Amino acid sequence: MMPSKAAPSRPDPLSYESLRQQILRRDGWRCQSCGAMSNLEVHHREFRSHSGSDSEENLITLCSGCHARAHL
Ligand SMILES: [Zn+2]
Ligand SMILES: [Zn+2]
């Protein structure tokens, strides 16, 4: 199997988990804000309502600290 951005999938829990892993891999297992490599979480960017789906472009890897700040 090749990682591909070809197939938009429905955000069911199972595919969401694999999507999370895909985002973490894409971002090199680093917080995209500060570069931390622990306590990583996947954050939905602001325009979720625009496409209405959990596409890769809507997601970014953040550590828990930066993620908390992103939600302030
Ligand atoms: Zn961070
Ligand atoms: Zn978030």
Side-chain angles (χ1 to χ4, degrees):
M1 265 211 207
M2 293 177 25
S4 160
K5 39 180 79 170
S9 57
R10 288 170 181 251
D12 64 86
L14 213 68
S15 71
Y16 181 70
E17 181 53 35
S18 64
L19 179 62
R20 257 186 99 257
Q21 298 293 319
Q22 196 174 321
I23 300 307
L24 290 166
R25 256 202 326 269
R26 180 201 67 190
D27 290 341
W29 297 87
R30 283 176 179 273
C31 172
Q32 296 303 287
S33 179
C34 75
M37 298 187 79
S38 56
N39 301 315
L40 297 177
E41 298 171 1
V42 172
H43 171 61
H44 285 94
R45 289 168 136 151
E46 300 309 318
F47 50 94
R48 186 174 189 180
S49 56
H50 187 69
S51 73
S53 72
D54 293 309
S55 66
E56 268 186 72
E57 290 76 22
N58 282 343
L59 298 164
I60 187 171
T61 302
L62 293 176
C63 72
S64 58
C66 292
H67 193 184
R69 267 186 288 139
H71 282 271
L72 282 179

